[in-house]
Amino acid sequence: MGSEGLQERYINPYTDFGFKKLFGTELNKELLISFLNALLPDQQPIKDITYLNTEHLGTREMDRRAVFDVYCENTQGEKFLVEMQRGEQQFFKDRSLYYTTFPIREQAIRGKEWSYELKAVYTIGILNFTFDHADDTYYHHEVKLVDMGTREVFYDKLTLIYLEMPKFNKSENELETMFDKWMFVLRNLGSLMQRPAALQERVFTRLFEAAEIGRFSQKELVAYEDSLKVYRDWYSTLQTALQKGERQGMEKGLAEGRKKGLAEGRKEMQQAIARQMKADGLSAEAIANYTHLTPEDIQAL
Protein backbone atom coordinates (compact mmCIF):
# COMPACT_ATOMS: atom_id res chain seq x y z
CA MET A 1 0.00 0.00 0.00
CA GLY A 2 1.31 3.49 -0.83
CA SER A 3 0.29 6.91 0.44
CA GLU A 4 -2.40 7.03 -2.24
CA GLY A 5 -4.19 4.25 -0.32
CA LEU A 6 -4.78 6.55 2.65
CA GLN A 7 -7.82 8.82 2.46
CA GLU A 8 -7.16 10.67 5.74
CA ARG A 9 -5.08 13.82 5.92
CA TYR A 10 -3.99 13.42 9.54
CA ILE A 11 -2.89 10.37 11.49
CA ASN A 12 -5.19 8.41 13.74
CA PRO A 13 -3.91 9.04 17.31
CA TYR A 14 -5.46 5.76 18.49
CA THR A 15 -2.83 3.84 16.54
CA ASP A 16 0.37 2.90 18.31
CA PHE A 17 2.45 4.80 15.73
CA GLY A 18 0.19 7.86 15.78
CA PHE A 19 0.13 8.31 19.54
CA LYS A 20 3.86 7.80 19.96
CA LYS A 21 4.68 10.18 17.11
CA LEU A 22 2.63 12.95 18.68
CA PHE A 23 3.48 12.41 22.34
CA GLY A 24 6.39 10.00 22.62
CA THR A 25 9.20 11.69 20.69
CA GLU A 26 11.73 14.26 21.77
CA LEU A 27 10.95 16.29 18.65
CA ASN A 28 7.33 16.76 19.67
CA LYS A 29 7.60 16.84 23.46
CA GLU A 30 6.10 20.35 23.54
CA LEU A 31 2.81 18.66 22.56
CA LEU A 32 2.96 16.36 25.59
CA ILE A 33 3.90 19.25 27.88
CA SER A 34 0.92 21.28 26.64
CA PHE A 35 -1.45 18.32 27.04
CA LEU A 36 -0.27 17.59 30.60
CA ASN A 37 -0.55 21.25 31.61
CA ALA A 38 -4.10 21.40 30.17
CA LEU A 39 -4.98 18.20 32.05
CA LEU A 40 -3.49 19.43 35.34
CA PRO A 41 -4.25 23.17 35.39
CA ASP A 42 -4.03 23.46 39.19
CA GLN A 43 -0.52 21.99 39.39
CA GLN A 44 2.75 23.86 38.96
CA PRO A 45 3.17 24.28 35.17
CA ILE A 46 5.52 21.76 33.55
CA LYS A 47 8.40 23.51 31.82
CA ASP A 48 10.28 20.47 30.53
CA ILE A 49 10.13 16.68 30.57
CA THR A 50 12.56 13.82 30.16
CA TYR A 51 11.44 10.60 28.48
CA LEU A 52 12.19 7.45 30.47
CA ASN A 53 12.58 3.84 29.40
CA THR A 54 9.31 1.86 29.35
CA GLU A 55 10.81 -1.61 28.89
CA HIS A 56 10.46 -2.58 32.54
CA LEU A 57 6.74 -1.74 32.31
CA GLY A 58 6.16 -4.81 30.14
CA THR A 59 5.08 -2.96 27.01
CA ARG A 60 5.90 -5.67 24.48
CA GLU A 61 3.20 -5.86 21.85
CA MET A 62 2.65 -9.57 22.50
CA ASP A 63 1.91 -8.91 26.17
CA ARG A 64 -0.72 -6.21 25.87
CA ARG A 65 -3.92 -4.89 24.45
CA ALA A 66 -3.13 -1.44 25.81
CA VAL A 67 0.22 0.26 26.15
CA PHE A 68 1.89 2.76 28.39
CA ASP A 69 3.07 4.63 25.33
CA VAL A 70 4.82 7.34 27.29
CA TYR A 71 6.79 7.33 30.53
CA CYS A 72 8.43 10.61 31.51
CA GLU A 73 9.31 12.90 34.39
CA ASN A 74 9.31 16.65 34.83
CA THR A 75 12.13 18.78 36.23
CA GLN A 76 10.84 18.17 39.78
CA GLY A 77 11.18 14.42 39.33
CA GLU A 78 7.43 13.76 39.22
CA LYS A 79 6.57 10.72 37.08
CA PHE A 80 3.94 10.50 34.34
CA LEU A 81 2.64 7.31 32.75
CA VAL A 82 0.44 7.99 29.73
CA GLU A 83 -1.40 5.32 27.79
CA MET A 84 -3.77 5.24 24.86
CA GLN A 85 -6.01 2.31 25.75
CA ARG A 86 -7.86 1.15 22.69
CA GLY A 87 -10.15 -1.51 24.12
CA GLU A 88 -11.65 -2.46 27.44
CA GLN A 89 -10.25 -5.42 29.29
CA GLN A 90 -11.67 -7.16 32.32
CA PHE A 91 -9.19 -5.88 34.89
CA PHE A 92 -7.97 -2.64 33.32
CA LYS A 93 -8.19 -0.75 36.65
CA ASP A 94 -6.12 -3.43 38.33
CA ARG A 95 -3.64 -3.22 35.47
CA SER A 96 -3.34 0.55 35.83
CA LEU A 97 -2.63 0.23 39.54
CA TYR A 98 -0.13 -2.57 38.90
CA TYR A 99 1.89 -0.50 36.45
CA THR A 100 1.63 2.56 38.69
CA THR A 101 3.61 0.69 41.34
CA PHE A 102 6.72 0.60 39.11
CA PRO A 103 7.51 4.35 39.14
CA ILE A 104 6.78 4.31 42.88
CA ARG A 105 9.11 1.40 43.71
CA GLU A 106 11.91 2.52 41.40
CA GLN A 107 12.35 5.64 43.53
CA ALA A 108 13.86 3.55 46.31
CA ILE A 109 17.47 4.53 46.95
CA ARG A 110 19.54 1.39 47.29
CA GLY A 111 22.78 1.04 49.15
CA LYS A 112 22.27 3.87 51.63
CA GLU A 113 19.78 5.30 54.07
CA TRP A 114 16.48 6.35 52.50
CA SER A 115 13.65 8.24 54.19
CA TYR A 116 10.89 6.86 51.88
CA GLU A 117 10.11 10.32 50.56
CA LEU A 118 8.46 9.92 47.14
CA LYS A 119 7.89 12.13 44.12
CA ALA A 120 4.35 12.38 42.77
CA VAL A 121 3.16 9.79 40.25
CA TYR A 122 0.45 10.39 37.66
CA THR A 123 -1.13 7.62 35.59
CA ILE A 124 -3.18 8.93 32.66
CA GLY A 125 -5.41 6.67 30.60
CA ILE A 126 -6.91 7.97 27.36
CA LEU A 127 -9.66 5.43 26.84
CA ASN A 128 -11.28 4.58 23.52
CA PHE A 129 -14.20 3.00 25.38
CA THR A 130 -16.65 3.73 28.19
CA PHE A 131 -16.43 2.08 31.59
CA ASP A 132 -18.75 4.28 33.65
CA HIS A 133 -22.24 3.92 32.17
CA ALA A 134 -24.02 5.78 34.97
CA ASP A 135 -23.47 9.27 33.53
CA ASP A 136 -22.92 9.97 29.83
CA THR A 137 -21.50 13.43 30.59
CA TYR A 138 -18.89 12.40 33.18
CA TYR A 139 -15.80 11.59 31.16
CA HIS A 140 -12.91 13.12 33.15
CA HIS A 141 -12.15 10.90 36.15
CA GLU A 142 -9.48 12.07 38.60
CA VAL A 143 -8.84 9.45 41.27
CA LYS A 144 -6.87 9.92 44.49
CA LEU A 145 -6.54 8.15 47.84
CA VAL A 146 -9.26 9.62 50.04
CA ASP A 147 -10.08 9.26 53.74
CA MET A 148 -13.67 8.00 53.59
CA GLY A 149 -14.48 9.52 56.97
CA THR A 150 -13.34 13.08 56.30
CA ARG A 151 -13.75 12.94 52.50
CA GLU A 152 -10.36 14.65 52.25
CA VAL A 153 -7.40 13.57 50.16
CA PHE A 154 -5.25 11.29 52.29
CA TYR A 155 -2.25 11.19 49.95
CA ASP A 156 -1.77 13.79 47.22
CA LYS A 157 1.22 12.24 45.42
CA LEU A 158 -0.75 9.53 43.61
CA THR A 159 -3.24 10.49 40.91
CA LEU A 160 -4.95 8.31 38.33
CA ILE A 161 -6.76 10.08 35.52
CA TYR A 162 -9.07 8.35 33.04
CA LEU A 163 -10.54 10.14 30.02
CA GLU A 164 -13.52 8.37 28.44
CA MET A 165 -13.11 9.70 24.92
CA PRO A 166 -16.41 8.40 23.43
CA LYS A 167 -18.32 10.60 25.90
CA PHE A 168 -16.64 13.82 24.76
CA ASN A 169 -19.04 15.27 22.20
CA LYS A 170 -18.38 19.01 22.29
CA SER A 171 -18.46 20.74 18.93
CA GLU A 172 -15.77 23.16 17.76
CA ASN A 173 -17.94 26.12 18.80
CA GLU A 174 -18.23 24.79 22.37
CA LEU A 175 -14.49 24.59 23.06
CA GLU A 176 -13.52 26.94 25.90
CA THR A 177 -10.44 25.67 27.73
CA MET A 178 -7.16 24.16 26.52
CA PHE A 179 -8.36 20.88 28.01
CA ASP A 180 -11.47 21.05 25.79
CA LYS A 181 -9.28 21.69 22.77
CA TRP A 182 -6.96 18.78 23.49
CA MET A 183 -9.92 16.47 24.02
CA PHE A 184 -11.45 17.63 20.75
CA VAL A 185 -8.28 17.11 18.73
CA LEU A 186 -7.62 13.66 20.20
CA ARG A 187 -11.24 12.63 19.62
CA ASN A 188 -11.44 13.92 16.03
CA LEU A 189 -7.94 14.24 14.56
CA GLY A 190 -8.16 11.19 12.30
CA SER A 191 -11.35 12.46 10.63
CA LEU A 192 -10.36 16.11 10.14
CA MET A 193 -9.42 17.42 6.72
CA GLN A 194 -8.23 20.82 7.90
CA ARG A 195 -7.20 22.55 11.09
CA PRO A 196 -10.26 23.87 12.96
CA ALA A 197 -10.41 27.63 13.41
CA ALA A 198 -10.83 27.22 17.18
CA LEU A 199 -7.38 25.66 17.50
CA GLN A 200 -5.23 28.72 16.85
CA GLU A 201 -2.65 28.24 19.61
CA ARG A 202 0.94 27.76 18.42
CA VAL A 203 1.14 24.28 19.93
CA PHE A 204 -1.63 23.12 17.59
CA THR A 205 0.30 24.47 14.62
CA ARG A 206 3.03 22.05 15.64
CA LEU A 207 0.55 19.24 16.20
CA PHE A 208 -1.08 19.49 12.77
CA GLU A 209 2.33 19.68 11.11
CA ALA A 210 3.46 16.53 12.94
CA ALA A 211 0.17 14.75 12.22
CA GLU A 212 -0.02 15.47 8.48
CA ILE A 213 0.48 12.20 6.63
CA GLY A 214 1.68 13.97 3.49
CA ARG A 215 4.80 15.11 5.39
CA PHE A 216 5.86 11.58 6.32
CA SER A 217 9.01 9.98 5.00
CA GLN A 218 8.58 6.69 3.18
CA LYS A 219 9.78 4.83 6.28
CA GLU A 220 7.28 6.66 8.49
CA LEU A 221 4.50 6.05 6.00
CA VAL A 222 5.14 2.30 5.94
CA ALA A 223 5.29 2.19 9.75
CA TYR A 224 2.03 4.14 10.03
CA GLU A 225 0.25 1.96 7.47
CA ASP A 226 1.32 -1.15 9.38
CA SER A 227 0.12 0.36 12.67
CA LEU A 228 -3.17 1.44 11.08
CA LYS A 229 -3.75 -2.06 9.73
CA VAL A 230 -3.21 -3.53 13.21
CA TYR A 231 -5.68 -1.01 14.65
CA ARG A 232 -8.30 -1.67 11.98
CA ASP A 233 -7.94 -5.44 12.33
CA TRP A 234 -8.30 -5.12 16.08
CA TYR A 235 -11.33 -2.82 15.71
CA SER A 236 -12.99 -5.23 13.27
CA THR A 237 -12.38 -8.15 15.61
CA LEU A 238 -13.79 -6.16 18.52
CA GLN A 239 -16.93 -5.18 16.60
CA THR A 240 -17.48 -8.79 15.53
CA ALA A 241 -17.16 -9.93 19.13
CA LEU A 242 -19.57 -7.22 20.31
CA GLN A 243 -22.14 -8.17 17.68
CA LYS A 244 -21.82 -11.83 18.59
CA GLY A 245 -22.24 -10.94 22.26
CA GLU A 246 -25.32 -8.87 21.49
CA ARG A 247 -26.87 -11.75 19.55
CA GLN A 248 -26.13 -14.17 22.35
CA GLY A 249 -27.53 -11.69 24.84
CA MET A 250 -30.73 -11.31 22.84
CA GLU A 251 -31.11 -15.07 22.53
CA LYS A 252 -30.53 -15.49 26.25
CA GLY A 253 -32.96 -12.65 26.94
CA LEU A 254 -35.66 -14.26 24.81
CA ALA A 255 -35.17 -17.60 26.54
CA GLU A 256 -35.30 -15.95 29.95
CA GLY A 257 -38.33 -13.96 28.84
CA ARG A 258 -40.19 -17.13 27.79
CA LYS A 259 -39.27 -18.75 31.09
CA LYS A 260 -40.42 -15.71 33.05
CA GLY A 261 -43.65 -15.53 31.03
CA LEU A 262 -44.47 -19.19 31.73
CA ALA A 263 -43.83 -18.68 35.43
CA GLU A 264 -46.06 -15.60 35.54
CA GLY A 265 -48.79 -17.40 33.58
CA ARG A 266 -48.63 -20.36 35.92
CA LYS A 267 -49.01 -18.11 38.96
CA GLU A 268 -51.96 -16.27 37.41
CA MET A 269 -53.68 -19.62 36.81
CA GLN A 270 -52.98 -20.68 40.40
CA GLN A 271 -54.46 -17.40 41.65
CA ALA A 272 -57.59 -17.82 39.52
CA ILE A 273 -58.13 -21.35 40.86
CA ALA A 274 -57.51 -20.12 44.41
CA ARG A 275 -60.10 -17.34 44.04
CA GLN A 276 -62.73 -19.83 42.92
CA MET A 277 -61.85 -22.24 45.75
CA LYS A 278 -62.00 -19.37 48.22
CA ALA A 279 -65.41 -18.32 46.87
CA ASP A 280 -66.58 -21.92 47.33
CA GLY A 281 -65.69 -21.73 51.00
CA LEU A 282 -62.58 -23.93 51.10
CA SER A 283 -60.07 -23.32 53.85
CA ALA A 284 -56.78 -21.54 53.26
CA GLU A 285 -54.94 -24.75 54.11
CA ALA A 286 -56.81 -26.70 51.45
CA ILE A 287 -56.29 -23.97 48.87
CA ALA A 288 -52.55 -23.94 49.62
CA ASN A 289 -52.37 -27.73 49.22
CA TYR A 290 -53.93 -27.58 45.77
CA THR A 291 -52.37 -24.38 44.37
CA HIS A 292 -49.02 -24.25 46.25
CA LEU A 293 -49.61 -20.55 46.95
CA THR A 294 -48.41 -19.14 50.26
CA PRO A 295 -50.90 -18.19 53.00
CA GLU A 296 -49.95 -14.56 52.38
CA ASP A 297 -50.80 -14.85 48.65
CA ILE A 298 -54.15 -16.47 49.48
CA GLN A 299 -54.96 -13.82 52.10
CA ALA A 300 -54.27 -11.07 49.53
CA LEU A 301 -56.76 -12.49 46.99
Side-chain angles (χ1 to χ4, degrees):
M1 183 195 302
S3 61
E4 66 276 3
L6 295 171
Q7 301 300 316
E8 301 85 3
R9 181 177 181 183
Y10 301 108
I11 55 176
N12 183 337
Y14 292 102
T15 62
D16 192 40
F17 177 92
F19 192 78
K20 287 184 177 179
K21 180 172 178 60
L22 295 179
F23 291 126
T25 64
E26 189 71 25
L27 181 65
N28 294 324
K29 71 177 181 179
E30 67 175 294
L31 303 181
L32 179 60
I33 292 171
S34 174
F35 172 69
L36 292 175
N37 282 330
L39 187 61
L40 303 164
D42 297 329
Q43 306 300 111
Q44 181 179 348
I46 299 171
K47 302 296 184 182
D48 195 14
I49 58 169
T50 301
Y51 288 103
L52 304 174
N53 195 328
T54 62
E55 287 183 2
H56 67 291
L57 296 177
T59 56
R60 293 180 302 165
E61 187 70 37
M62 67 184 71
D63 293 337
R64 58 183 167 84
R65 277 184 287 175
V67 290
F68 278 112
D69 299 286
V70 173
Y71 179 35
C72 66
E73 66 179 4
N74 62 11
T75 52
Q76 287 76 44
E78 297 175 325
K79 315 290 184 179
F80 298 85
L81 289 171
V82 187
E83 70 166 330
M84 173 65 79
Q85 187 154 347
R86 297 153 187 83
E88 186 173 7
Q89 51 183 292
Q90 187 176 5
F91 300 110
F92 96 90
K93 293 180 184 178
D94 304 65
R95 180 187 179 282
S96 292
L97 286 170
Y98 172 72
Y99 280 111
T100 301
T101 65
F102 284 92
I104 294 174
R105 289 184 291 161
E106 74 173 10
Q107 295 183 51
I109 299 174
R110 296 170 176 82
K112 61 178 181 179
E113 290 293 327
W114 177 49
S115 65
Y116 289 93
E117 182 180 9
L118 296 170
K119 299 293 185 180
V121 173
Y122 297 85
T123 292
I124 299 161
I126 302 171
L127 313 181
N128 192 20
F129 62 90
T130 296
F131 72 85
D132 179 5
H133 303 286
D135 186 345
D136 287 339
T137 64
Y138 183 39
Y139 53 80
H140 181 189
H141 302 263
E142 184 170 333
V143 181
K144 291 181 180 289
L145 293 175
V146 173
D147 185 315
M148 296 302 292
T150 63
R151 299 293 178 178
E152 295 181 353
V153 174
F154 172 76
Y155 185 72
D156 63 358
K157 293 182 181 179
L158 177 62
T159 305
L160 297 100
I161 297 174
Y162 300 109
L163 305 175
E164 294 180 276
M165 300 306 296
K167 289 184 179 180
F168 183 84
N169 294 309
K170 287 188 178 181
S171 67
E172 181 184 347
N173 295 331
E174 296 174 304
L175 306 180
E176 298 177 354
T177 65
M178 278 296 286
F179 174 69
D180 285 346
K181 293 177 181 182
W182 271 110
M183 290 290 287
F184 179 85
V185 79
L186 286 173
R187 178 82 163 86
N188 299 291
L189 181 61
S191 61
L192 296 175
M193 292 308 295
Q194 61 184 6
R195 176 180 174 180
L199 306 180
Q200 290 303 311
E201 290 78 3
R202 187 186 64 82
V203 69
F204 293 119
T205 300
R206 179 60 191 154
L207 181 140
F208 281 94
E209 288 176 352
E212 190 167 358
I213 297 170
R215 293 172 177 262
F216 288 5
S217 67
Q218 186 61 32
K219 183 178 179 180
E220 287 178 317
L221 187 59
V222 170
Y224 175 56
E225 289 173 339
D226 289 344
S227 185
L228 189 60
K229 182 179 184 301
V230 170
Y231 173 77
R232 286 173 173 168
D233 288 347
W234 165 84
Y235 186 79
S236 177
T237 300
L238 176 65
Q239 292 300 110
T240 300
L242 287 173
Q243 291 171 4
K244 181 178 180 181
E246 288 174 356
R247 287 198 301 271
Q248 291 175 341
M250 289 178 64
E251 292 169 359
K252 182 178 179 181
L254 288 172
E256 291 179 349
R258 285 194 293 269
K259 184 177 179 181
K260 183 178 180 181
L262 287 172
E264 291 177 350
R266 188 181 299 113
K267 186 168 185 177
E268 288 177 1
M269 181 178 67
Q270 290 170 329
Q271 289 173 336
I273 293 171
R275 288 192 190 94
Q276 185 61 51
M277 295 176 72
K278 193 174 183 180
D280 290 342
L282 274 72
S283 68
E285 182 180 0
I287 296 172
N289 287 336
Y290 280 99
T291 64
H292 302 292
L293 293 175
T294 66
E296 291 78 11
D297 288 338
I298 295 170
Q299 181 67 30
L301 292 174

